[in-house]
Amino acid sequence: MMTQPSAESAGVAGTAAGPVKAPGASSTAAATARSGPERTGGERGAAKVDGSPDGTGADRGRRPAGGLDRVPVNGALVDVVARSGTAPTVPGADGVRRGLVLGGGGMLGAAWTIGALCAIEESTGWQPGRAEVILGTSAGSILGTMLAAGVRAEELRDHQRGLPIRTGPLAGVEFDYDTAVGGALPPRPRPGIGSPGLLRDAVRHPREYPFLTMVSAVVPTGRGSVAPVGELVRGLLDEDGWPLGSGLRVAAVDYRTGRRVVFGDPDAPEADVAQAVMASCAIPGWFAPVDVAGSPYVDGGCWSATNADLMAERELDEVYVLAPMALRPAWAGPARVDAGRGTVAALREWRDRDRPKGVLAQLVSRYRRAVTRQMLREARRLRDSGVRVRLLAPTLEDLAVMGPNMMDPARRPEVLETALRTSRSALTAVR
């Protein structure tokens, strides 16, 4: 469904899956300074990574005189005005400045997101990879990087299906989605508390951290590796690893301080895209933290499954939020978006209809409800700032196909095909 945020809207997620490549054909993009609530941006150390010493991108060798940046647009280099300390911005062909938020959700969340991306392009004619700012969290960071590198939504779909890709950044790239990051279950974690320092700070200042961040501090350190994801990204991008002219942003959490960082924004630690993506995908307890500039980083979903609030103050007109860990009840329709029903009441109704069975299913159901509440708060902040928000999340039909384990490779093909169908229906309903 694609609506203004409300009790019937939904979205959110967890971690890894997917490939990335080459500069050039990527989207041109806008960037900005910090935004978002709580320990974000400048107040807790936002984040920037564009491969340049000063964070301005000036060493990319593409900036002409006169305060302009030369970026690729539809295969040609175009000079656009660049704001100090940010990436250049170019509106879409219709003059609308669009952003794209891709939430986490593991292997199955990535498959669902690809189906939703294809549905968006089919239904609207807009290519998601042309968003001025692409913000990815966890699995969404992998897909966001691929889009920024010039991969089309239908190529992501065909690659997931195991079909050969003959053109573009994914041409000839092989990636085993089912086994690359270790399969459906994590290896046994190391004994002990994952981040004693973060736990100590969270106990002293509990209101400064989201609940998920505090929980992540307690979880034992994982033994799994996201190195295959990093290898994939490095194999598809140039040395500095940031697609030229793109507005790619990657959310992660500093595991020592608990602060949220946005790689690609000013003031971020120095890192290439592969480092940023691996950090964003490092689920505590499953994967080992990823070192970036001397500090350990973990999954951006430890702060928020979508981090959609980070799209505020980026001079955007419209933002699409794809949230595979959220829910969109089948009874929610565009006519009821502003019906005035509270979020808690809507989620309670969904719970009564869903009635998950089994301990794991109940835990995941509770997590989805919590994540949905948080995402809706973030979406409201965007809406209140004047941004038109388009939300797309799984229906109950999608959730039934996904099951409780978002890393279950056996369900991946069916999740993709179901998402293609349900997302098309949702988008058609609001046209």
Side-chain angles (χ1 to χ4, degrees):
M1 155 172 126
M2 196 171 69
T3 70
Q4 294 292 338
S6 76
E8 283 91 8
S9 308
V12 195
T15 274
V20 188
K21 174 174 183 172
S26 69
S27 62
T28 57
T32 72
R34 75 176 189 81
S35 69
E38 312 137 329
R39 304 153 62 91
T40 63
E43 80 185 10
R44 285 282 185 177
K48 164 70 189 168
V49 183
D50 64 4
S52 64
D54 61 358
T56 64
D59 67 334
R60 289 177 178 173
R62 297 270 185 172
R63 173 170 292 179
L68 301 178
D69 266 25
R70 184 164 294 140
V71 298
V73 179
N74 297 328
L77 291 178
V78 177
D79 291 346
V80 297
V81 177
R83 296 188 299 277
S84 176
T86 71
T89 66
V90 181
D94 56 2
V96 177
R97 295 182 180 276
R98 292 186 175 89
L100 178 67
V101 174
L102 302 176
M107 179 187 301
L108 301 187
W112 178 89
T113 300
I114 290 171
L117 289 168
C118 288
I120 288 174
E121 184 165 349
E122 292 172 10
S123 299
T124 68
W126 175 66
Q127 295 178 25
R130 293 186 180 277
E132 294 190 38
V133 182
I134 300 175
L135 173 64
T137 297
S138 199
S141 71
I142 304 174
L143 300 180
T145 306
M146 297 168 69
L147 291 173
V151 179
R152 294 287 298 271
E154 64 266 27
E155 293 171 340
L156 294 176
R157 177 200 62 204
D158 291 347
H159 206 253
Q160 279 268 333
R161 289 171 169 170
L163 301 176
I165 308 299
R166 306 193 186 283
T167 60
L170 277 180
V173 173
E174 295 184 0
F175 188 77
D176 189 338
Y177 290 90
D178 295 342
T179 63
V181 290
L185 298 174
R188 185 183 298 274
R190 302 179 187 280
I193 294 174
S195 180
L198 173 55
L199 178 60
R200 182 172 54 251
D201 288 346
V203 170
R204 290 174 178 172
H205 310 285
R207 295 185 179 181
E208 296 187 22
Y209 300 88
F211 178 72
L212 289 175
T213 305
M214 293 189 283
V215 171
S216 71
V218 180
V219 176
T221 303
R223 295 178 185 268
S225 174
V226 290
V229 170
E231 293 172 5
L232 174 66
V233 173
R234 289 193 178 98
L236 293 167
L237 292 168
D238 281 351
E239 291 184 4
D240 73 349
W242 287 88
L244 179 64
S246 82
L248 177 65
R249 299 292 181 267
V250 175
V253 172
D254 187 320
Y255 206 33
R256 285 181 185 164
T257 67
R259 80 182 188 275
R260 176 173 56 172
V261 299
V262 187
F263 293 108
D265 271 357
D267 302 325
E270 191 72 21
D272 60 29
V273 171
Q275 289 177 305
V277 171
M278 287 191 295
S280 188
C281 291
I283 306 173
W286 193 307
F287 300 107
V290 174
D291 183 270
V292 178
S295 293
Y297 284 83
V298 293
D299 195 322
C302 292
W303 187 281
S304 164
T306 54
N307 293 291
D309 58 297
L310 291 171
M311 298 296 269
E313 300 177 22
R314 293 181 184 266
E315 300 184 15
L316 298 170
D317 302 311
E318 182 176 74
V319 172
Y320 281 79
V321 179
L322 276 59
M325 281 305 295
L327 58 98
R328 182 177 65 84
W331 45 263
R336 301 179 64 182
V337 166
D338 295 315
R341 302 174 63 226
T343 299
V344 174
L347 294 175
R348 187 180 298 117
E349 184 173 342
W350 171 77
R351 179 196 61 198
D352 293 340
R353 289 168 178 260
D354 182 43
R355 295 193 181 282
K357 297 179 181 179
V359 175
L360 179 58
Q362 290 181 24
L363 288 174
V364 171
S365 178
R366 288 178 179 271
Y367 174 70
R368 285 189 183 277
R369 295 200 298 272
V371 139
T372 300
R373 290 189 186 99
Q374 182 176 9
M375 192 278 304
L376 291 173
R377 290 194 296 270
E378 295 171 353
R380 286 194 185 95
R381 293 189 188 113
L382 281 180
R383 182 191 59 187
D384 292 344
S385 70
V387 177
R388 185 165 54 250
V389 181
R390 307 294 195 185
L391 303 179
L392 200 60
T395 64
L396 294 180
E397 181 181 357
D398 292 298
L399 299 186
V401 173
M402 288 178 176
N405 185 355
M406 297 297 284
M407 297 293 281
D408 184 354
R411 293 175 178 262
R412 182 175 58 82
E414 188 177 2
V415 168
L416 173 64
E417 302 305 325
T418 302
L420 286 166
R421 183 178 66 257
T422 60
S423 296
R424 284 191 194 110
S425 298
L427 290 161
T428 301
V430 298
R431 282 198 299 178

